[in-house]
């Protein structure tokens, strides 16, 4: 395994539409998500929609680029994604297995910005985060992830 990046922060929100708060470490459950998060308990805004969304990740580089281009501050918590990363291109992980700390995951699909995120943040987020809004991933093994954990792939780096 070759280290590609790392976890900068982890966010959960126990209730839908609540601003996520950071945690240093968290237990993750296959087919459910992050323990204590709204999606793990089935009460997230999009819980009733089809499609697995155990965990969502976003690149710190994407948030920084959005801020540079738009002049609008978007905190990692306001992005409403669970895991803030650095040093890994998440779009390249669609359909790929990877590991966060000791937890195996598989990239499912891009986590494109939506009108819900736009309503909770700023109108510019919808257009400004297209194709860089993050990644939905399936959790394949139970375990714990923590701030500072490496994000590694299997085989060549994407």
């Amino acid at each position: 395994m070759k280290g590609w990046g790392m976890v900068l922060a982890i966010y959960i929100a126990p209730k839908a539409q609540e601003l996520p708060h950071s945690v240093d470490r968290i237990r993750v459950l296959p087919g459910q998500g992050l323990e204590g998060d709204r999606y793990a308990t089935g009460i997230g805004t999009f819980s009733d929609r089809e499609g697995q969304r155990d965990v969502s990740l976003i690149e710190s580089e994407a948030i920084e680029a959005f801020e540079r281009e738009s002049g609008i501050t978007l905190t990692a918590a306001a992005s409403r994604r669970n895991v803030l990363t650095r040093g890994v291109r998440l779009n390249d992980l669609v359909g790929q297995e990877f590991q966060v700390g000791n937890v195996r995951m598989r990239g499912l699909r891009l986590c494109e910005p939506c009108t819900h995120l736009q309503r909770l943040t700023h109108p510019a987020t919808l257009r400004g985060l297209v194709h860089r809004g993050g990644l939905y991933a399936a959790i394949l093994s139970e375990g714990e992830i923590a701030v500072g954990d490496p994000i590694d792939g299997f085989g060549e780096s994407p």
Side-chain angles (χ1 to χ4, degrees):
M1 279 191 293
K2 178 182 177 189
W4 293 341
M6 69 176 288
V7 174
L8 290 185
I10 302 167
Y11 296 92
I12 63 168
K15 297 178 183 173
Q17 299 189 32
E18 182 177 276
L19 185 66
H21 66 274
S22 66
V23 295
D24 291 333
R25 61 182 52 251
I26 196 155
R27 186 169 168 236
V28 298
L29 307 164
Q32 293 182 340
L34 281 63
E35 190 171 66
D37 187 60
R38 64 208 181 277
Y39 286 103
T41 57
I43 60 169
T45 300
F46 300 107
S47 289
D48 61 347
R49 297 216 179 147
E50 286 201 25
Q52 189 174 11
R53 55 174 41 96
D54 293 351
V55 62
S56 58
L57 303 93
I58 191 167
E59 300 169 22
S60 58
E61 296 90 343
I63 292 173
E64 292 161 1
F66 169 75
E67 290 180 348
R68 270 192 317 276
E69 294 162 7
S70 68
I72 298 164
T73 299
L74 179 70
T75 66
S79 77
R80 313 201 59 80
R81 307 305 188 247
N82 298 120
V83 179
L84 180 67
T85 68
R86 176 161 301 282
V88 60
R89 290 195 35 83
L90 296 173
N91 288 13
D92 294 342
L93 295 180
V94 173
Q96 303 296 315
E97 285 195 20
F98 60 98
Q99 194 158 307
V100 178
N102 292 319
V103 174
R104 289 181 70 109
M105 297 185 186
R106 181 177 43 254
L108 298 172
R109 64 189 182 285
L110 297 184
C111 185
E112 295 288 12
C114 61
T115 56
H116 178 66
L117 177 63
Q118 181 182 29
R119 278 192 305 273
L120 295 174
T121 57
H122 189 280
T125 58
L126 187 62
R127 195 172 53 251
L129 289 179
V130 167
H131 304 315
R132 58 183 181 185
L135 175 74
Y136 284 121
I139 297 168
L140 303 178
S141 65
E142 186 172 338
E144 188 175 89
I145 61 173
V147 172
D149 275 352
I151 300 170
D152 294 306
F154 301 95
E156 294 299 311
S157 128

